Amino acid sequence: MTARQREVAELVSRGLTNREIATRLGIEERSAEGHVERIRLRLGFRSRAQIAAWYGARRDLI
């Protein structure tokens, strides 16, 4: 996973929306959506909640 994807996963785990993630990172909302989608697909997840749980469980390892 790229550094940006880890950053996005952290923000998802904090409960931020794609729009809030985009604003925080200075990117377009569509780019944030793409990052979340690629993370979800790479990990085989169906939801943002699963990304958040995954990130929270591995926070010390990342």
Side-chain angles (χ1 to χ4, degrees):
M1 186 174 295
T2 68
R4 177 64 90 179
Q5 288 171 339
R6 287 190 302 272
E7 189 174 18
V8 170
E10 177 186 2
L11 296 173
V12 168
S13 75
R14 293 180 182 197
L16 274 66
T17 65
N18 288 340
R19 180 173 290 169
E20 292 167 332
I21 290 169
T23 299
R24 176 86 52 100
L25 299 179
I27 61 176
E28 295 294 322
E29 184 175 355
R30 184 73 182 113
S31 295
E33 290 172 9
H35 285 307
V36 171
E37 182 68 7
R38 281 187 293 283
I39 293 165
R40 196 184 60 72
L41 291 173
R42 173 175 266 182
L43 297 175
F45 294 157
R46 294 183 185 188
S47 70
R48 296 171 71 91
Q50 288 176 299
I51 295 171
W54 172 85
Y55 186 85
R58 286 160 178 74
R59 188 178 314 235
D60 294 334
L61 304 175
I62 296 176

